[in-house]
Amino acid sequence: MSEDADLLCFLLDDREAAVRQAAAYALAAALPSPGHAPAALDTRLAREEDPVTRACLVLAIGQLAGEEGDPATVEQLREWWRCPDRPTDVRVSAALAWLCLVEDPILTELDVLLDSAVTDELTALLAPVPWLRDAQDGVKDNGLLVCLNQMRNPDDFPWLAEF
């Protein structure tokens, strides 16, 4: 499996944003043990300019942190969504990843961020993000809005408790 991870990490530097996005998704979804994948994702995120790819990288980092039970990454995600100097796509993606990793209620500070940052423009921009497409699951709404609705109203979605 390490050869597969090495290939996927190599693809994080592809010229095509769609390839980098798919590589991040595959690293998070397919690896039984992430090995050096989180470091490769962090390295790519530090220099990534495409907002959709940044969102994919952040969500992949979050997913791997959940699988590894990594509290340092959970704290890092919190810092990212709290940092006003970070791009909005990173802040919102970090907020989603953080919410998936903690059992805390949504903080007022986070609610304010989401209310102000999640615009029609951002939801359209992030529509191709695989995690958000998965969340749509046949719903006509954008996946970002579906995710936020579920996270903000967990009692309306009892099946979420299974995850």
Side-chain angles (χ1 to χ4, degrees), residues 42-157:
D42 278 330
T43 299
R44 182 67 221 177
L45 180 61
R47 64 180 191 273
E48 184 59 57
E49 294 183 13
D50 178 66
V52 175
T53 305
R54 284 193 303 249
C56 289
L57 293 165
V58 170
L59 292 169
I61 289 166
Q63 185 170 339
L64 290 173
E67 291 171 9
E68 292 293 301
D70 179 16
T73 301
V74 173
E75 185 54 36
Q76 180 181 44
L77 291 166
R78 178 198 283 266
E79 289 173 19
W80 287 350
W81 68 255
R82 283 185 160 165
C83 180
D85 295 334
R86 291 221 175 248
T88 302
D89 51 274
V90 171
R91 293 184 74 197
V92 170
S93 300
L96 290 174
W98 182 78
L99 285 169
C100 289
L101 296 172
V102 300
E103 294 186 21
D104 304 348
I106 294 180
L107 305 170
T108 302
E109 174 187 8
L110 181 52
D111 254 340
V112 169
L113 167 67
L114 296 174
D115 287 342
S116 64
V118 179
T119 62
D120 290 343
E121 182 181 307
L122 184 68
T123 58
L125 176 71
L126 296 184
V129 172
W131 288 263
L132 301 177
R133 279 196 328 261
D134 290 350
Q136 269 180 279
D137 197 28
V139 178
K140 289 201 180 250
D141 261 339
N142 178 284
L144 176 58
L145 299 178
V146 170
C147 283
L148 290 174
N149 182 40
Q150 291 170 351
M151 290 176 170
R152 286 177 154 171
N153 304 293
D155 294 339
D156 295 343
F157 303 95

